[in-house]
Amino acid sequence: QVQLVESGGGLVQAGGSLRLSCAASGRTFSTYGMGWFRQAPGKEREFVAAISWSAGSTYYVDSVKGRFTISRDNAKNTVYLQMNSLKPEDTAVYYCAADLSRIYRPYPPTATTEYHYWGQGTQVTVSS
């Protein structure tokens, strides 16, 4: 079992920045990949970014490349999403998720169906 708790969401003007955090507990954090997803009203949950257990591999959806950065601190059991140059279309509830399908997986998945544990979500609202 893994428990995930997100924080850091809020209201920000377009062009601003936020850093989301996701604290994990329950299993050895340093052995599994992590992902960030988001869901806007009336839309399906979509992949945003993922990071492997060692941080050796990272992936991003095209719409956030160059603006968002995913990172992790295995000593603190925490994964981060630094979001810069925010746009109104980034408005959504952001979720972190853990992939426990295989430890030490070199390439983290990007599909929602491959993640087994989810946080409760944190709201990010970007005003124009």
Side-chain angles (χ1 to χ4, degrees):
Q1 290 285 346
V2 172
Q3 293 78 43
L4 304 173
V5 179
E6 302 99 334
S7 61
L11 173 64
V12 63
Q13 289 188 333
S17 299
L18 284 174
R19 188 176 82 153
L20 305 183
S21 300
C22 173
S25 62
R27 290 279 294 270
T28 307
F29 178 76
S30 60
T31 64
Y32 52 86
M34 296 291 296
W36 283 98
F37 294 78
R38 65 187 180 187
Q39 188 166 18
K43 295 187 177 181
E44 293 187 354
R45 191 170 299 188
E46 67 167 353
F47 167 77
V48 176
I51 188 167
S52 63
W53 65 278
S54 66
S57 298
T58 57
Y59 298 98
Y60 300 91
V61 67
D62 287 346
S63 60
V64 308
K65 285 180 180 177
R67 300 188 298 122
F68 290 11
T69 302
I70 188 171
S71 62
R72 66 189 297 160
D73 185 339
N74 286 344
K76 295 183 178 180
N77 288 358
T78 302
V79 63
Y80 304 97
L81 185 67
Q82 177 66 44
M83 306 186 295
N84 299 329
S85 302
L86 282 161
K87 304 176 181 180
E89 51 264 44
D90 295 318
T91 295
V93 177
Y94 283 71
Y95 300 90
C96 69
D99 166 35
L100 271 68
S101 63
R102 178 159 57 99
I103 62 173
Y104 304 124
R105 190 172 181 177
Y107 306 108
T110 60
T112 57
T113 54
E114 296 195 69
Y115 285 85
H116 311 90
Y117 295 93
W118 295 81
Q120 81 289 349
T122 185
Q123 176 70 46
V124 171
T125 303
V126 184
S127 63
S128 57

